Amino acid sequence: MDTLAAKNFAICAEVNTGSWLGRTHHGQGIGTEMSAAVLELGFAHLGANSAVSGAFEDNQGSGGMPAALRHPKVARLTLRQC
């Protein structure tokens, strides 16, 4: 499951992403693909200028997600540790 949300999007043009993936599906690139899809929606189709995502400190897979995406606009993705 992946989400894309925003507050005051017309003013800030920033989206928030979040995802959950069952442990049996970890390490297969599914989470990266899901995140790439919602960020494509936010940047290319909704006109977002930045994105914020969170991850638990002990979740190394989520922490590495911005680098794994390798998309030019993902440079604007800020990972906040929850």
Side-chain angles (χ1 to χ4, degrees):
M1 175 179 72
D2 216 317
T3 61
L4 184 70
K7 285 186 178 181
N8 301 316
F9 185 78
I11 298 167
C12 301
E14 180 176 87
V15 294
N16 298 293
T17 70
S19 61
W20 180 87
L21 186 64
R23 192 173 302 273
T24 59
H25 303 289
H26 288 193
Q28 301 175 39
I30 297 169
T32 301
E33 194 170 331
M34 290 182 347
S35 296
V38 297
L39 289 171
E40 177 70 14
L41 173 65
F43 288 125
H45 301 284
L46 299 177
N49 291 323
S50 62
V52 176
S53 185
F56 290 106
E57 291 181 12
D58 63 349
N59 188 336
Q60 294 177 353
S62 289
M65 186 267 299
L69 289 172
R70 291 184 179 87
H71 188 284
K73 293 186 178 183
V74 174
R76 291 182 248 162
L77 180 64
T78 303
L79 183 64
R80 293 189 180 149
Q81 298 294 327
C82 300

